[in-house]
Amino acid sequence: MIPPPEDDGTPRPAPHDDTRPPASGDVPPLTIRDLTVRFAGLTALDAVSLTVEPGTVHAVIGPNGAGKSTCFNVLSGVYRATSGSVRFGPHELTGMRPHRIAELGVARIFQNLALPPRATVADSLLLGRHRLTRAGFLGAGLRLPSAAREDRVHRERVREIAAFVGIEDQLGLPAGALPYGQRKLAELARALCMEPRLLLLDEPVAGMTAAERRRTAAVIAGVREGLGISIVLVEHDMGVVMRLADTVTVLDFGRRIASGTPGDVQNDPAVVRAYLGQEAAGA
Ligand SMILES: Nc1ncnc2c1ncn2[C@@H]1O[C@H](COP(=O)(O)OP(=O)(O)OP(=O)(O)O)[C@@H](O)[C@H]1O
């Protein structure tokens, strides 16, 4: 059972059960080489390279329009690369369909809310476990004892993950009835229900209150430390980036302009110029 996280502490997930693949130790590097994406004359990503080491948090930051979402869309199979390569261990992800990428253990949460609003949070989280279900449609339909047993195990795991994220009391509610911040936490929980090896987080704290931001950051830190999975984080909140990231890659106009520890990139003159340029443009 996962203990509910302390508000100011780092939550820790439970040990593995037999319905999910071991994450830690089974996480390959994500290697992006010379990734280029063009849209009708506009180069959204220009020969970007980066490596996400197993079990680390790698933040991708940059001013508006820098190419962060485009990068995520290629990683999750939504966009096709014009050229370059994205490897997750032995698998080349470019050209793969989104569901095949998901089957490799790559889970994404979106910038905008994506949970079905009328389904209960519990049902949405159970759907996240679809890839791990062995009984299949027929076994579940025939109410075989093995299917019932498996269903119980999955429901228990959903409850553990919900408690870990701090939404256990909301499991019976429709997702649409939850306040915005809790809905985003429910999305994070759904992604964790896939037992991913690589988690793509697209602005996970955008629109949240300060307390929800702290909670989400603690959950993400707990996921990294407890499960050992890799996380790619796109986030505008620099406090969250600085707290969570092991490595930061900075994009500007589709190009990688810096990469290193949070401390390194924070003081990099090219990064300061890129962000000052954005402020000047917005002024
Ligand atoms: N489907 C598309 N068709 C045409 N242009 C696109 C498409 N998707 C992104 N772009 C363009 O690619 C560039 C990079 O956009 P992208 O959304 O990746 O930036 P971003 O760093 O995620 O920005 P933000 O922080 O505002 O979300 C922008 O100029 C954008 O207009």
Side-chain angles (χ1 to χ4, degrees), residues 39 42-44 62-71 73 79 111 203 234 236:
F39 300 106
L42 184 140
T43 304
N64 294 108
K68 307 179 293 290
S69 298
T70 301
C71 184
N73 283 330
Y79 285 175
Q111 206 169 334
E203 300 197 26
V234 165
H236 282 288

Side-chain angles (χ1 to χ4, degrees), residues 77-278:
V78 177
Y79 285 175
R80 246 168 207 279
T82 306
S83 61
S85 143
V86 178
R87 294 190 78 82
F88 187 45
H91 304 281
E92 176 62 53
L93 302 190
T94 57
M96 225 183 240
R97 312 273 302 170
H99 74 273
R100 286 278 301 116
I101 294 177
E103 281 167 11
L104 294 175
V106 179
R108 174 178 184 181
I109 66 147
F110 290 87
Q111 206 169 334
N112 300 314
L113 297 171
L115 283 186
R118 285 198 192 78
T120 64
V121 174
D123 284 345
S124 289
L125 266 52
L126 271 173
L127 266 182
R129 297 194 69 75
H130 173 71
R131 159 179 101 85
L132 308 165
T133 304
R134 292 196 193 109
F137 180 70
L138 191 61
L142 294 173
R143 299 180 183 278
L144 297 178
S146 59
R149 220 172 16 249
E150 191 182 8
D151 186 62
R152 263 200 311 281
V153 172
H154 283 304
R155 283 183 188 278
E156 179 54 29
R157 181 65 183 152
V158 160
R159 186 159 289 284
E160 283 179 353
I161 289 171
F164 172 58
V165 169
I167 53 158
E168 197 184 12
D169 293 344
Q170 282 74 35
L171 277 173
L173 299 176
L178 266 48
Y180 182 83
Q182 288 193 347
R183 253 186 294 166
K184 288 202 83 163
L185 282 170
E187 294 203 2
L188 178 56
R190 181 171 66 166
L192 290 176
C193 281
M194 293 171 65
E195 311 290 354
R197 302 191 291 167
L198 173 66
L199 194 52
L200 307 176
L201 301 178
D202 198 352
E203 300 197 26
V205 305
M208 285 186 166
T209 64
E212 289 166 343
R213 279 168 191 249
R214 275 197 302 278
R215 169 114 206 156
T216 306
V219 169
I220 296 168
V223 169
R224 195 263 311 266
E225 280 156 36
L227 293 178
I229 65 181
S230 304
I231 297 174
V232 186
L233 172 71
V234 165
E235 184 49 66
H236 282 288
D237 183 322
M238 283 308 131
V240 168
V241 169
M242 294 300 151
R243 177 177 164 197
L244 291 178
D246 299 293
T247 310
V248 182
T249 291
V250 190
L251 302 179
D252 190 27
F253 292 112
R255 292 209 182 89
R256 191 184 80 170
I257 60 166
S259 192
T261 64
D264 288 345
V265 300
Q266 207 173 11
N267 299 316
D268 188 305
V271 177
V272 174
R273 262 199 310 278
Y275 275 95
L276 285 178
Q278 171 175 260

